Amino acid sequence: MGRISQIQNIILKIHQQISEATNAPGLVMISLSAIALGAAIGGCLPLISLWMETFNISFQRIGIVCGISALGIVCSAYFAPRFATKYGFVLTINIGLIIAAITSVAFRFTDNYALWLLLRFVCGLGLGLHWVLTEAWLASIVKENYRTRVMAIYAIAMSIGFAVGPIVIWLFGALSVIPFLIIGSLLILSILPIAKLKGHEPKSSKSHKASPLILIRKAPTVASACIVVGSVDLAMISLLPAMITRTPEAAPILAFIIVPAMAIGATILQYPVAILADQYGLRKIGVITASIGLLFASLIPFFLSSIFITLLLAFLGAGLVYALYTIGLAMLSKRFSGSQIVAANAGFVILFELSNLIGPWIAGFLLDFNMKLGLPFFTISVGIFFVSISWIRRNTNANY
């Protein structure tokens, strides 16, 4: 009985803290939906790559199919504010998830390359609606003192999903239809928490329609933080395993465990950094986090002969860099309100996806030029860019 009482007290305390952190229901259900969505995305990307590999498709063409969903996300992010205003958050998000679920399963039932491209693009359209609108939803209900911590909880939920998703492939392989059906089921499952929020969704203003470009015009520090995370995060995930396989002194197992180390860092370091940001200021902690994280990331190529040091640098580097995503969202929710917050969040997602596309390409070019110095040059350059923007904006209104 004593243990049960302790658990009940812990649950009650958590419930009280959640109630204190937000002005309206949404945090728990959106986080649950984010876990299911993250698991679907985390499992889907390697799954479609492995499935296409069975057809002897070139790496370049596989990369194009995987990447084209980003263009779909960019397109849906641009129009998401209009859809939310016209149809409401819940309906718009859930229609997007249904579209993503159908196209994810349908991918398994064709071997036509053009149709693969179309299905992945349409899937990106559906996923983008959830991404933009759930983040904007949280930003509109969070209270000032808990802003960064709430965004950290959302980011942690998504990271947990990303980590869990690939288990589907380990359990069922990539050749059968079962993992595709599971991915589709996870996307449908992510609808349920959102549906329970019907009647609690934010009210979109119909009198003022803002453009996603408002983020760049009014909050360049937030925009630059988004560019840092989008470009560096995916560049590390995409290129470090290949760099390890081409480094003679590196242990081959590093190529398989470095990305999980990065994912664990991104999950564990979110909340502590969020607490520091709420206590000492978003811009200050953002600059410190980005500087230290990018420094750790830049050191990885010089320590590939040591498994422990490499994993530690990857854990800290990726974890701190990804924490900047949470800080950027908190800045955004503090800087914008009303209909502008949906448009600004759409701009955030658009910039993130474009950075996902461009960042790894630039980093890859630099690595081809010099494998040891290419990544450090890239990460340090991106860091200088963010710190410079933040320093220039230090005396402006809200520092954003």
Side-chain angles (χ1 to χ4, degrees), residues 230-360:
S231 58
V232 173
D233 184 59
L234 194 61
M236 291 176 67
I237 292 173
S238 303
L239 299 174
L240 279 175
M243 183 191 301
I244 290 168
T245 59
R246 299 185 189 185
T247 303
E249 63 269 23
I253 193 174
L254 265 179
F256 299 99
I257 61 178
I258 192 167
V259 173
M262 293 165 58
I264 294 170
T267 302
I268 292 178
L269 297 182
Q270 289 290 317
Y271 204 76
V273 172
I275 293 174
L276 292 173
D278 280 338
Q279 185 172 354
Y280 296 104
L282 292 168
R283 186 175 67 89
K284 181 186 295 184
I285 297 301
V287 170
I288 294 173
T289 297
S291 300
I292 297 176
L294 292 170
L295 176 62
F296 284 143
S298 69
L299 292 174
I300 291 175
F302 301 101
F303 293 94
L304 292 177
S305 59
S306 170
I307 294 178
F308 174 76
I309 296 178
T310 299
L311 293 179
L312 180 62
L313 291 173
F315 173 90
L316 294 172
L320 291 173
V321 168
Y322 193 70
L324 190 61
Y325 185 92
T326 297
I327 293 173
L329 284 179
M331 286 181 171
L332 183 151
S333 65
K334 191 172 184 178
R335 178 67 178 84
F336 300 98
S337 60
S339 63
Q340 288 188 342
I341 201 167
V342 182
N345 203 84
F348 193 89
V349 171
I350 290 171
L351 276 178
F352 186 86
E353 285 299 320
L354 291 177
S355 300
N356 271 184
L357 290 172
I358 297 173

Side-chain angles (χ1 to χ4, degrees), residues 142 301 395:
V142 65
N395 294 321

Side-chain angles (χ1 to χ4, degrees), residues 65-191:
V65 171
C66 292
I68 199 168
S69 60
L71 295 180
I73 291 174
V74 168
C75 293
S76 68
Y78 189 84
F79 293 104
R82 302 182 190 180
F83 292 151
T85 299
K86 187 172 183 179
Y87 303 109
F89 279 66
V90 170
L91 182 60
T92 303
I93 291 170
N94 287 344
I95 287 177
L97 290 171
I98 291 172
I99 292 172
I102 293 172
T103 53
S104 295
V105 175
F107 193 93
R108 172 60 174 74
F109 294 94
T110 181
D111 57 2
N112 184 281
Y113 188 79
L115 194 52
W116 277 339
L117 290 172
L118 177 62
L119 288 171
R120 288 301 298 164
F121 177 80
V122 175
C123 183
L125 291 175
L127 295 175
L129 294 175
H130 183 285
W131 188 353
V132 172
L133 296 180
T134 52
E135 287 184 356
W137 192 330
L138 284 178
S140 68
I141 65 174
V142 65
K143 292 181 180 178
E144 181 65 30
N145 294 338
Y146 295 88
R147 191 175 303 278
T148 317
R149 277 169 280 185
V150 167
M151 295 305 173
I153 291 171
Y154 173 82
I156 290 170
M158 189 70 79
S159 297
I160 291 172
F162 279 134
V164 170
I167 295 176
V168 173
I169 304 174
W170 298 338
L171 292 176
F172 300 100
L175 301 182
S176 74
V177 71
I178 293 177
F180 288 89
L181 292 175
I182 292 175
I183 295 298
S185 300
L186 287 169
L187 289 167
I188 295 297
L189 185 64
S190 64
I191 290 175

Side-chain angles (χ1 to χ4, degrees), residues 194-248:
I194 300 298
K196 289 184 70 68
L197 293 174
K198 185 69 175 177
H200 299 288
E201 54 198 309
K203 304 300 180 185
S204 297
S205 172
K206 297 183 180 181
S207 59
H208 177 73
K209 294 181 180 179
S211 165
L213 295 176
I214 192 174
L215 179 70
I216 299 174
R217 294 199 305 267
K218 292 191 174 183
T221 303
V222 179
S224 61
C226 178
I227 292 171
V228 170
V229 182
S231 58
V232 173
D233 184 59
L234 194 61
M236 291 176 67
I237 292 173
S238 303
L239 299 174
L240 279 175
M243 183 191 301
I244 290 168
T245 59
R246 299 185 189 185
T247 303

